[in-house]
Amino acid sequence: MPDDMKLEDVADPAYSPGLFDESLPVILLRARIAVTACFRPVLTQHELTDAQWRVIKVLAGSGPMDVSELSRRTDLLAPSISRIVRDLGVRGVTSRTTPPQDARRSIVGLTDQGEALVDKLQKAVTPIHHHLDGLLGEDKKDLKRILARLTAALSASLPEGWQQGEE
């Protein structure tokens, strides 16, 4: 190494802060953090986590469903869904039933209290959605289309049995 060159000048470019900041996973992660941070004060006020709100929103939009479908639709792993459903059940937000024809299945739905919570929260988050729409303008449609295409392409290329979802 020449005498005037420092070790940091020859560092592996894969660890360069510039390349790290420009990587797609980091950009997507930071966008997710920024977007969810907009909603967090409303959720915190109602003592809900982001994951709990996802479960509630899916149930509100689609009605009761089995735990496996709820896991798939919320992109949460089954153990997380079980914990979330249990915690929301204790709060009176969800109910859990077992169909008589299949005792192995568990159907989760919102209670009346859960429906009321959705109505209240929907009023609180609608202005946030409008704010985000205003920030993105016409780019929102393109962004959603590109992200949907990326998600579909990656999902189709995952190896058999690969687990998607988060904890």
Side-chain angles (χ1 to χ4, degrees):
M1 178 162 58
D3 292 335
D4 61 338
M5 187 177 282
K6 298 181 180 114
L7 183 58
E8 53 268 13
D9 294 334
V10 294
D12 185 345
Y15 296 104
S16 166
L19 291 178
F20 177 79
D21 290 340
E22 294 173 15
S23 73
L24 184 60
V26 171
I27 291 168
L28 292 171
L29 177 62
R30 289 180 178 161
R32 177 183 185 232
I33 290 168
V35 170
T36 56
C38 296
F39 295 92
R40 191 148 302 116
V42 172
L43 299 179
T44 300
Q45 183 179 12
H46 294 279
E47 298 179 7
L48 291 171
T49 65
D50 299 343
Q52 288 172 328
W53 179 233
R54 284 196 337 236
V55 167
I56 292 168
K57 285 290 290 179
V58 166
L59 292 172
S62 300
M65 64 184 67
D66 73 23
V67 174
S68 297
E69 179 66 8
L70 187 57
S71 174
R72 188 186 69 73
R73 298 274 310 275
T74 58
D75 293 309
L76 292 165
L77 299 175
S80 297
I81 286 291
S82 294
R83 185 185 70 253
I84 290 167
V85 167
R86 182 196 67 224
D87 293 348
L88 291 173
V90 168
R91 293 177 56 182
V93 174
T94 59
S95 63
R96 193 177 207 157
T97 58
T98 303
Q101 67 273 20
D102 188 354
R104 294 169 297 169
R105 286 182 65 214
S106 185
I107 305 296
V108 179
L110 291 177
T111 62
D112 290 342
Q113 183 179 333
E115 295 284 352
L117 180 61
V118 169
D119 292 342
K120 184 187 290 187
L121 280 166
Q122 201 57 47
K123 290 174 184 155
V125 299
T126 296
I128 300 168
H129 284 285
H130 290 308
H131 174 70
L132 293 172
D133 290 347
L135 291 174
L136 290 172
E138 290 299 313
D139 291 338
K140 180 180 175 185
K141 288 180 185 175
D142 291 335
L143 178 61
K144 287 172 71 174
R145 181 183 50 76
I146 291 166
L147 291 175
R149 192 175 83 212
L150 174 65
T151 301
L154 290 173
S155 295
S157 68
L158 290 174
E160 185 70 28
W162 183 266
Q163 272 194 325
Q164 287 183 288
E166 60 182 65
E167 294 182 35

